[in-house]
Amino acid sequence: MGNKYKVLVVEDEANIRSFMETILETNGYQVLTAARGSQGKLVFSSHCPDLIILDLGLPDLDGMEFIQAVREVSAVPVIVVSARSDERDKVAALDLGANDYVTKPFGTAELLARVRAALRNSRGGTGPGSMPGGKLLIKDMEIDYEQRKVHISGQEIHLTQTEYNIVALLSESPGKVLTYASIIRGIWGEADSGSIKKLQVNMANIRKKLGSRPGHNQYILNELGVGYRMCTPD
């Protein structure tokens, strides 16, 4: 089928590479694979995949270098899969331009959900959830960019200017984790010693106003120690 999404899997462990290939092909994706970073770069250049799933621990180069090389020429979504669970690795990969980060081991359902989210996000304003007139619909939340207003089930949610700016920034990349540092840069510019606390206070207010409660956050998810992610339109 010509309309299949092409997914490039760059993973040196044969069993994991085969596992991901089987899952993706079973669910209708066309899969390209590479066991080394150099091979992955060649496949990327020649086949222009719609999505890259990348292991950081490659035998010939660090996955961070791979992300940098891709980002110099393309905005293709990149999902990192890695045994490195350290928050600093996650933050570094996301700040370099990765769209998402999945820690090994992971399940079939989680991997497929992350792939769907990354592909939805890459389709930009024409994807599900976008509406005419500069609006975005996520579940029952509507963001009106022209009016700078947010409604849930038709009811306006009264946000401060800063709170709205944070919601709008996150909504530009639904499904993508934005690190604390990238949100702070986008909202306030320069960071200072109180920036993360200021962001957390604003985010707590936003989530409260959006009706979030412990264990039930429909719109904005907190990736602990890393950043925040806006849910994707369904």
Side-chain angles (χ1 to χ4, degrees), residues 79 90 94 99-103 110 113-115 117-118 120-121 138 141 166-167 169-180 183 203 207 210 217-224 226-232:
I79 297 176
K90 294 183 182 181
L94 293 164
N99 295 64
D100 205 350
Y101 193 111
V102 183
T103 304
E110 179 183 9
R114 305 285 186 124
V115 166
R120 273 200 297 263
N121 180 35
I138 295 179
M141 176 175 69
I166 292 170
V167 170
L169 178 65
L170 288 168
S171 74
E172 288 171 12
S173 305
K176 176 178 168 62
V177 180
L178 298 187
T179 62
Y180 299 135
I183 298 171
M203 191 60 73
R207 294 167 93 189
L210 296 183
N217 297 303
Q218 301 191 72
Y219 311 107
I220 298 173
L221 303 178
N222 183 9
E223 300 284 344
L224 284 173
V226 179
Y228 296 96
R229 163 208 312 267
M230 177 74 75
C231 293
T232 53

Side-chain angles (χ1 to χ4, degrees), residues 1-54:
M1 290 172 60
N3 61 350
K4 281 187 177 182
Y5 284 113
K6 281 189 290 188
V7 179
L8 169 59
V9 175
V10 186
E11 166 65 67
D12 65 309
E13 292 187 53
N15 59 331
I16 297 177
R17 188 171 64 248
S18 175
F19 169 68
M20 287 194 282
E21 183 177 12
T22 301
I23 291 169
L24 292 165
E25 286 185 343
T26 301
N27 283 273
Y29 298 98
Q30 180 184 343
V31 184
L32 309 162
T33 62
R36 301 172 70 84
S38 53
Q39 182 190 3
K41 284 183 179 181
L42 287 174
V43 177
F44 165 69
S45 300
S46 56
H47 290 275
C48 301
D50 299 296
L51 173 74
I52 298 172
I53 298 177
L54 172 70

